[in-house]
Amino acid sequence: MLEATSHMGQLLTVLIMAFALGMDAFSLGIGVGMKGVRLNDILRISTVVALFHMVMPLLGMFTGHFMSEVLGHVAAYAAGGLLILLGCHMIYNSIYGSSVTLLDYRSSVGVILYSLGVSMDSFSVGVSLGMFRSNLLLTVAAFGGAGGLMSVLGLLLGRRVSRNLGEYGEAIGGAILFAFGMMFIF
């Protein structure tokens, strides 16, 4: 019974983190969507974002497993601190401007750079989850699914609403990561 509760808690944590990280793709997708985007481009951009949201945390988790072996018990504090810093960074970007510049999303290089930019946070969180020995398949699938879904929603919504909503979305995502970082430390 205790093990089932632990697995359910891990599932819930990973899903919430996946959607928090997807807020970056959502908020930047609104900006791109406001410039006018075709449905074909939405599908292509969101697919690449989903792939990067799977690859980046996977690389991060392997790094986190290694760091966990090296750091031992200090790894939990390091992982929590990393989430707190990442959350603060996302909140800061939502207030003072994003570090990712909007590119020509129609070019292959633009799509890759855009996807890499919105997926970098996933690497850092992957490092933290790797230190905690999170379920690899669950994490990669949740991050990829949430990143792709949030990207589609942001791009579609960008066709309809103002840019300010996207800034709030990134701040909410940052606050969630900050809260999980505090939970891991305390």
Side-chain angles (χ1 to χ4, degrees), residues 84-105:
I84 289 171
L85 290 174
L86 183 59
C88 288
H89 177 71
M90 286 176 72
I91 293 168
Y92 177 85
N93 279 344
S94 73
I95 295 170
Y96 295 108
S98 178
S99 60
V100 178
T101 305
L102 294 178
L103 303 166
D104 178 14
Y105 60 88

Side-chain angles (χ1 to χ4, degrees), residues 43-127:
L43 179 62
R44 186 169 60 109
I45 292 168
S46 297
T47 300
V48 176
V49 167
L51 288 173
F52 271 84
H53 265 78
M54 290 173 17
V55 170
M56 296 304 283
L58 184 63
L59 293 173
M61 288 180 78
F62 289 137
T63 303
H65 282 297
F66 174 74
M67 289 177 68
S68 177
E69 296 295 324
V70 171
L71 295 176
H73 295 323
V74 178
Y77 295 114
L82 187 60
L83 289 176
I84 289 171
L85 290 174
L86 183 59
C88 288
H89 177 71
M90 286 176 72
I91 293 168
Y92 177 85
N93 279 344
S94 73
I95 295 170
Y96 295 108
S98 178
S99 60
V100 178
T101 305
L102 294 178
L103 303 166
D104 178 14
Y105 60 88
R106 286 175 236 152
S107 73
S108 296
V109 172
V111 170
I112 289 171
L113 290 176
Y114 172 81
S115 299
L116 180 63
V118 299
S119 301
M120 288 303 290
D121 300 346
S122 297
F123 175 81
S124 302
V125 172
V127 170

Side-chain angles (χ1 to χ4, degrees), residues 124-136:
S124 302
V125 172
V127 170
S128 297
L129 292 174
M131 289 180 189
F132 288 113
R133 304 278 185 196
S134 179
N135 182 307
L136 185 71

